[in-house]
Amino acid sequence: MDFIKGFTFGYMSKKGEWETEEAKQSLNLLKERCGIDHVVLTVVAEQDKPQSVHIHWKDHPDMLSDHEIENMIFYAQSLGLTVILKPMVNVSDGTWRAHINFFDTDVPCEPKWSEWFAAYTKFILHYAEIAEKTNCAMFVIGCELVNADRREAEWRELIRHVRNVYHGLITYNCDKYQEDVLKWWDAVDVISSSGYYPVNAWEEQLDRIEKVVKKYQKPFFFCEAGCPSCEGGDLLPNDWTLRGRPDVETQRRWYEEMFRATNKRDWVRGYAFWDWKAKLYPIEQAENDQDYAIYGKPAEKVIQAYYKNK
């Protein structure tokens, strides 16, 4: 697997937004300003509640159309970018997807894992077919579904179905601290996780992840990683609700420390940082932005310099 100098693009984009010149220009800026060679395109569907067994990927008015997804993939490829397609499920009531959960033993009149996985499999297979059609280099079968991770048999069956329609590399983006919990890494081609680790904990966490990589002998990259640009963001980079005083230097220092730590581990085969929007804020507002975005912030130059030298 080539080293992934990547970024995540287009999270939470709504129908029609990828067809705009603004979105294309945003992707152009991402490549020019950060020096990426890979892009993770995110396609987000929703289910109503954590215990819902219906996923609104066909019937939601804001869902990106297949046409615009395919066109954005082709556009990214025309820029020389390698595309990783990443369908994701969110919960409409605001609950984090990690809390999607059901009883392990089926109970009459209660929603069931079998029903959810049936719906999820149809959702994933649809986008796996698009990934195959558009020659995406990698396909992400799930993201941070922590409670679902324990359902090993269902994931193995899903992967078997995906391989029938998609012939590129398959990964699963596990959540932070879960790398050594999953029991089915052998079934995918690439191990990946969300690297939202505290600035002072990188060595400890990389030591732990390294044991997993050595055990399974699979390539590894951070399918997500990042830090909000606010006070305290470097100590709780996984908390997207954290809002303090804007502090772009906190974000810069986090990236510098992450690169310092990960660059010593040759098994870390890249990153797809979180995240770059299809619709950017005005660059003059960068210093006051508290989110994970790095557009116009000091962290942007840190990433560009690192990618340039890889």
Side-chain angles (χ1 to χ4, degrees):
M1 185 182 82
D2 293 338
F3 191 90
I4 295 172
K5 297 188 284 188
F7 231 100
T8 300
F9 179 85
Y11 180 64
M12 296 302 289
S13 293
K14 296 180 179 180
K15 187 174 184 178
E17 289 185 354
W18 282 10
E19 295 181 316
T20 65
E21 285 304 313
E22 183 178 26
K24 292 178 180 178
Q25 180 61 19
S26 178
L27 185 57
N28 267 291
L29 286 170
L30 171 57
K31 184 188 177 188
E32 292 170 5
R33 297 178 72 97
C34 294
I36 65 167
D37 59 16
H38 283 67
V39 65
V40 174
L41 296 179
T42 55
V43 180
V44 182
E46 293 187 356
Q47 60 184 64
D48 295 335
K49 298 177 180 179
Q51 281 70 53
S52 299
V53 295
H54 178 73
I55 300 170
H56 299 284
W57 61 275
K58 284 184 176 180
D59 58 350
H60 197 291
D62 288 336
M63 194 75 190
L64 291 168
S65 70
D66 292 353
H67 178 75
E68 66 183 309
I69 293 167
E70 292 174 11
N71 281 349
M72 182 58 81
I73 292 169
F74 292 139
Y75 182 71
Q77 291 168 338
S78 77
L79 298 178
L81 297 174
T82 299
V83 177
I84 300 171
L85 189 61
K86 183 180 180 181
M88 302 170 67
V89 172
N90 281 351
V91 184
S92 298
D93 69 4
T95 304
W96 178 34
R97 70 186 77 89
H99 296 291
I100 295 171
N101 199 11
F102 306 92
F103 297 153
D104 279 334
T105 301
D106 287 355
V107 175
C109 301
E110 295 292 344
K112 299 168 180 61
W113 274 119
S114 59
E115 296 171 323
W116 185 83
F117 267 101
Y120 187 75
T121 298
K122 290 178 181 177
F123 164 63
I124 290 296
L125 286 178
H126 177 76
Y127 293 100
E129 290 172 354
I130 290 178
E132 176 74 8
K133 176 182 177 182
T134 56
N135 199 32
C136 290
M138 192 182 301
F139 183 70
V140 187
I141 60 167
C143 176
E144 300 175 350
L145 293 160
V146 179
N147 272 301
D149 289 352
R150 70 182 188 272
R151 304 296 295 188
E152 180 178 350
E154 287 91 334
W155 284 108
R156 290 184 182 277
E157 182 71 2
L158 170 62
I159 292 165
R160 187 180 68 80
H161 286 303
V162 170
R163 291 199 187 279
N164 287 333
V165 300
Y166 174 72
H167 298 93
L169 296 174
I170 293 174
T171 191
Y172 173 75
N173 177 186
C174 79
D175 192 36
K176 62 212 169 288
Y177 305 104
Q178 305 302 313
E179 296 93 346
D180 53 353
V181 177
L182 260 72
K183 308 298 184 189
W184 42 274
W185 284 127
D186 60 288
V188 301
D189 303 306
V190 178
I191 299 171
S192 67
S193 72
S194 292
Y196 299 105
Y197 289 115
V199 67
N200 56 4
W202 274 105
E203 298 293 352
E204 174 189 0
Q205 297 307 325
L206 289 169
D207 285 346
R208 180 181 57 80
I209 299 169
E210 185 169 342
K211 295 175 183 176
V212 179
V213 176
K214 287 183 175 179
K215 176 182 178 180
Y216 288 98
Q217 293 294 300
K218 303 276 186 178
F220 172 89
F221 80 109
F222 286 108
C223 198
E224 290 186 20
C227 175
S229 53
C230 63
E231 282 187 338
D234 57 338
L235 297 177
L236 277 174
N238 59 301
D239 186 356
W240 66 87
T241 67
L242 183 67
R243 290 294 181 268
R245 186 179 66 84
D247 188 352
V248 294
E249 290 302 308
T250 290
Q251 185 186 55
R252 176 188 62 79
R253 289 191 297 269
W254 183 91
Y255 272 97
E256 289 178 341
E257 174 59 19
M258 185 211 61
F259 284 137
R260 186 201 65 77
T262 58
N263 199 45
K264 297 185 295 182
R265 317 277 180 144
D266 58 7
W267 51 267
V268 177
R269 298 299 300 156
Y271 321 83
F273 293 121
W274 194 266
D275 69 319
W276 191 281
K277 297 293 192 294
K279 183 179 177 65
L280 295 170
Y281 50 73
I283 197 166
E284 59 270 17
Q285 295 179 12
E287 292 282 329
N288 294 317
D289 183 77
Q290 302 171 49
D291 200 24
Y292 292 84
I294 53 93
Y295 174 54
K297 301 176 187 177
E300 184 183 73
K301 288 184 168 51
V302 174
I303 293 168
Q304 182 190 52
Y306 182 82
Y307 278 173
K308 183 178 180 180
N309 292 315
K310 288 301 287 186

